[in-house]
Each structure stands twice: as C-alpha cells, then as structure tokens.
Amino acid sequence: MHDVISPVTEQVVATVPSSSVEETDAAIARAHEAFRTWRAVAPGDRARLLRRFAALVDEHNEELAQLEVRNSGHTIGNARWEAGNVRDVLNYYAGAPERLSGRQIPVAGGMDVTFYEPLGVVGVIVPWNFPMPIAGWGFAPALAAGNTVVLKPAELTPLTAIRLGELALDAGLPEGVFTVLPGKGSVVGERFVTHPLVRKVCFTGSTEVGKRIMAGCAEQVKRVTLELGGKSANIVFADADLARAAAGAPGAVFDNAGQDCCARSRLLVQSSVYDRFMGLLEEAVKAFRCEDPALESAQMGPLISAGQLSSVRSYVDQPLFAGSAPDGPGYWMAPTVIEASSVQDRHWREEIFGPVLSVLRFDDEADAIRLANDTEYGLSGSIWTGDLGRGIRVARGVEAGNLSVNSNSSVRYWTPFGGVKQSGLGRELGPDALAAFSEVKNVFFSTEV
Ligand code: NAP
Ligand code: MG
C-alpha cells in the first residue's frame, strides 16, 4: 500500500495499493484476452462506448476536478479544464473507429488493400504533472484504434486515473479493456517494457527514464511514443506588443507551478526593450496569485512534493525578483525570476520543473534563434513580434514540435503535440495519433484463375 499525500496540507488523502509484478502480469493477461473481443466490436459500437465514457467523465467533471485539487494541488480552474480535456479527447477519438479506413491501391492481377490493425495491449505510463490529460492522450486513441490498455499513473498522483478506470467500466467498456494499475515505475512501468504481450509503450515523463524505456523496448522492437522534458523559449522582439507579451509571460511558465513540459522557462528579450519589458514583467509576476488551489482566484498552487521543492530551490541563488506564496504547511514556492549570466548557467540549461523563469537578452533575430536552439530539448515555445514575416521566419527557425506566435498556448486536442531532439519521439493528439496505435497491413487478393 502507498500513502497519497496532499501537497497543500502535507496530510495523507488516500491509501492505494501498489501493484506487484504478479498483479501486473495478471492484468496484462486479462488485457490480452480482452483484446480479442474488443478489436472485433463493430466500429459504431466501439464509438458509442467511448462517447458514453466521455459523457460519464463530463458528468463527473466537478468530482474529478476536486480530486485533482486534493491529490495534486492543481488550481480548481485548471483541474476542471483537465477533466474536460479527457472528455474532449474521448469524444474526438470516438469519431475514429468508423473512419479508420485503409486504401485500395491499383495493382495488376488482383486487388490491393491496406488495413489499420490494432497493436494489442498498449501500456501507458503517466507522470504526476498532468495526471488526467496525459492519461487520456494515451488511452483514448489507443482504445479507439482497437487496442486494450493497461495504464500506470505516477505513484504520487494515482487518484483521478483510478476514478477514470471505474468510470470506463460504468460506461460499459468490457472488463480488461482499460485497466488502471497503481504502483511503482520500477515495478509496473518496467514490466510494461519487458512483458512480451505489451506491444507498445506510451511514456510521458523525464528524459532520463524515457531513454531507459526506449532502450528496454528495443529488446523486443516494441513500439514506443515518448513525451519528455523541455526547456522552451519565450522570445520577445522589440516590435512586439510588449504589454501583452509581459502579461502572458508569468502564466506561460508558472502555470501548474512550472511543472509543465511546455513551460516557457527561458525568456529571451531583445536588448533594446529589455529594461522596459522587465519592468512590465515584474508587475505581472508580483500580481500572479499563488494561493490555496481550491480558491477560484488561484493561478498557482504548491509543488507536488517535498522532494520536488528542494530540487527546484537548489536552482535559485540570487533571484532578480519574485512573487509571493503562502506560509505554513504545503510545498510552496513563490514564482521566481532569475537573470542568466551566461548560457552555461545551470538554471538556464536544465529543466527545473518548478516556478523559475531564467532571463537572457539577445541582439537580433539570428541571435534569438541561435539561443533558442542552444538546448538538447525542443518541445514548445513562443514568439512575440508585430512583424508577420519575422513571426514566420522564427517559427520555422526554432527547433521545437509546438510553437505559438503572439500566444502561449500549445495544446489543442485536435492538433498534433510532441517534441523534437531529446523532448520526445512521435506525436500525440490530433488526426495522426491513431497511426501510432495501429500497424498498416497490406493484403493482395489475386484475381488469377
Ligand atoms: P519520471 O521518473 O520520468 O516518472 C514518470 C513516470 O514514469 C511515472 O509514472 C514513474 O513512476 C514512471 N517510471 C519511473 N521509473 C520508471 C522505469 N524505470 N520504468 C518505467 N516507468 C518508470 O519523472 P519524475 O521522477 O516523476 O520527475 C523527475 C523529473 O522529470 C521532473 O523534475 C521533470 O524535470 C521531469 N518530468 C517531465 C515530465 C513531462 O511532462 N515531460 C513529467 C514529469 C516529470 P513513479 O511514479 O512510480 O516514479
Ligand atoms: Mg523518477
């Protein structure tokens, strides 16, 4: 058994079982058994079951959101959005079963057609930073494409995933089609990698663990999707609407207390407007509301754990300025801004995964692109400019999977999401995700007599 701790109160909020290797194997065997019938369910029926699952998630939006506030310290506003995202992703992929059609390709002497075949059992490994959305991005397209799913939530944040597993059964998904297995990464997660009946691993988390998972999957040439770390740049040009860029910059990095793989944790500001921009930013950071996440007004809650708090604090030596955070119990840290003295600073280079923004100035467009790309990561980023041509050039020049121009938003369930370089492999969401949960099979039918 494992105690789940609230990061707001430091009190135990629930105790959940830690699945053993034997229990994991048994669940994988059941998922494999269920695959035979699930793949054969008529497309329209599979679609209807996923829509019913989505409807139940919607009905339980407030319950799921409150559970996430208690377990993860997410702000109530974010948590409602997150539960809504699971609903939307399920509804979006519920449109897939009847549309997952192959092709007919002209050949001599017969007919050639392709099929999208499901893979089998898919293992989804979820981190603690966005327990609901990241679970849904894996299980919804996997189920829609005809796979069965075993899902391991992060040990710190299993409660909403467990609830989603119950709602799936209530919606009528057959036993074994979607199983949530709380437990340790080193036990349940590793077993997804080594068990031969798990045909694909869909992992979100640290780059370090992601590399080990990829290496482990290579043993069986197991399919893998990786969504890993980031150190994304927010680039502000002198010709931008500085007030808008400054107003958006705190949310772009401090949302979810900075525990976001898309966090714009490196701010690049053009030298000619540096002082003016930093004045506006300081005002916005000081107004950013870090408080009890159950309050409707909260913009940021605590960090997930004592360990994460001490890891994040170790990066902050001399802050330029900071906002405020509550005292007392809870893993609180005020939103903090630091100036980089060079691109070698540890806080400039490493993914901190906390409410810390590193700032550096740049001279011109080429300099901005070079600095933005001077990282092993490439997940997201923002470009603020009033010049359309510049916006296009820089968006094409920055090496990242998801960029926004004059905006900080990176996630829409119907557009592709994922990283380049060491930020990951493969794409989730959008129309292409289904291909990552299917194999193309080609069949030639001879018409020779
Ligand atoms: P992590 O270790 O990569 O954990 C992510 C998930 O992988 C969790 O469910 C974890 O289980 C599981 N896991 C751990 N070791 C495993 C293994 N050997 N085989 C299979 N699964 C395994 O991430 P973390 O330790 O929680 O966080 C560390 C750092 O990673 C953060 O500070 C941040 O920099 C980065 N991170 C990035 C993201 C992202 O969205 N890109 C998300 C989370 C963390 P347990 O819960 O049992 O450990
Ligand atoms: Mg870890």
Side-chain angles (χ1 to χ4, degrees):
M1 298 299 276
H2 168 76
D3 285 341
V4 177
I5 312 282
S6 157
V8 184
T9 62
E10 302 183 36
Q11 302 296 310
V12 175
V13 288
T15 302
V16 300
S18 279
S19 312
S20 63
V21 172
E22 294 70 29
E23 286 162 331
T24 306
D25 283 357
I28 292 168
R30 282 195 301 275
H32 177 67
E33 189 58 34
F35 174 59
R36 283 197 238 172
T37 43
W38 181 243
R39 69 176 305 178
V41 169
D45 292 338
R46 207 189 301 144
R48 200 172 309 111
L49 284 167
L50 293 175
R51 276 192 206 101
R52 212 182 282 159
F53 185 8
L56 275 188
V57 172
D58 191 43
E59 250 171 60
H60 292 80
N61 179 289
E62 189 61 23
E63 178 202 333
L64 287 162
Q66 295 290 351
L67 197 56
E68 203 65 277
V69 174
R70 279 205 299 287
N71 186 164
S72 311
H74 287 197
T75 63
I76 182 63
N78 278 10
R80 287 183 187 127
W81 181 91
E82 291 159 15
N85 181 258
V86 176
R87 171 205 56 215
D88 292 343
V89 172
L90 275 167
N91 272 326
Y92 178 71
Y93 288 110
E98 308 100 317
R99 294 175 178 83
L100 205 55
S101 46
R103 303 184 207 195
Q104 176 268 315
I105 299 169
V107 287
M111 175 178 73
D112 192 281
V113 289
T114 66
F115 297 89
Y116 280 108
E117 301 281 14
L119 305 172
V121 181
V122 170
V124 180
I125 302 175
V126 181
W128 46 259
N129 59 331
F130 287 109
M132 282 193 277
I134 292 173
W137 301 1
F139 71 68
L143 294 172
N147 306 279
T148 54
V149 171
V150 286
L151 180 143
K152 193 203 94 65
E155 221 187 353
L156 294 172
T157 58
L159 300 186
T160 48
I162 291 171
R163 191 69 189 110
L164 287 169
E166 294 167 357
L167 293 175
L169 288 176
D170 293 348
L173 268 77
E175 240 5 279
V177 166
F178 175 44
T179 309
V180 176
L181 284 167
K184 283 187 188 306
S186 56
V187 178
V188 182
E190 290 246 11
R191 195 62 188 130
F192 290 179
V193 174
T194 58
H195 199 301
L197 287 179
V198 175
R199 304 300 293 274
K200 164 157 188 159
V201 173
C202 188
F203 172 82
T204 306
S206 62
T207 297
E208 187 194 343
V209 174
K211 287 177 187 176
R212 288 186 46 192
I213 287 186
M214 190 174 176
C217 286
E219 278 299 310
Q220 298 167 17
V221 197
K222 191 172 288 195
R223 275 55 181 150
V224 64
T225 299
L226 303 173
E227 296 291 357
L228 309 175
K231 191 73 184 174
S232 298
N234 186 2
I235 310 173
V236 181
F237 286 95
D239 60 17
D241 179 339
L242 296 185
R244 263 187 75 211
V253 56
F254 302 138
D255 186 65
N256 206 31
Q259 303 166 123
D260 181 342
C261 46
C262 288
R264 276 69 167 162
S265 53
R266 291 186 301 151
L267 176 63
L268 283 161
V269 184
Q270 195 155 19
S271 304
S272 55
V273 294
Y274 188 82
D275 291 339
R276 212 168 104 221
F277 185 82
M278 292 306 283
L280 293 167
L281 179 68
E282 182 166 0
E283 249 177 73
V285 168
K286 291 193 166 153
F288 203 75
R289 297 183 70 97
C290 174
E291 59 189 3
D292 180 350
L295 296 172
E296 299 284 338
S297 54
Q299 291 176 290
M300 180 181 140
L303 297 183
I304 191 66
S305 64
Q308 191 65 14
L309 178 59
S310 79
S311 156
V312 174
R313 277 198 181 136
S314 77
Y315 286 90
V316 182
D317 184 9
Q318 285 197 304
L320 185 61
F321 53 81
S324 58
D327 303 318
Y331 310 122
W332 299 99
M333 179 168 169
T336 302
V337 178
I338 329 181
E339 252 176 331
S341 57
S342 90
V343 294
Q344 294 315 321
D345 286 357
R346 195 166 79 94
H347 68 83
W348 181 261
R349 301 215 74 80
E350 295 180 12
E351 180 179 50
I352 299 175
F353 228 58
V356 179
L357 176 63
S358 305
V359 194
L360 199 63
R361 52 187 96 204
F362 68 88
D363 297 325
D364 57 19
E365 197 177 302
D367 197 27
I369 294 174
R370 183 182 58 76
L371 286 165
N373 289 341
D374 177 25
T375 168
E376 69 204 21
Y377 295 114
L379 191 54
S380 68
S382 300
I383 298 143
W384 294 85
T385 175
D387 177 336
L388 177 62
R390 189 198 295 281
I392 295 169
R393 285 192 303 273
V394 179
R396 298 302 302 271
V398 174
E399 298 160 352
N402 298 80
L403 291 163
S404 329
V405 178
N406 295 326
S407 159
N408 293 312
S409 78
S410 353
V411 173
R412 288 174 188 80
Y413 60 83
W414 63 101
T415 61
F417 177 81
V420 305
K421 294 156 83 178
Q422 293 192 30
S423 283
L425 187 74
R427 290 293 177 272
E428 300 194 287
L429 301 177
D432 304 329
L434 295 159
F437 293 103
S438 321
E439 295 281 9
V440 175
K441 179 185 281 176
N442 191 73
V443 183
F444 170 71
F445 296 87
S446 170
T447 49
E448 303 288 310
V449 282

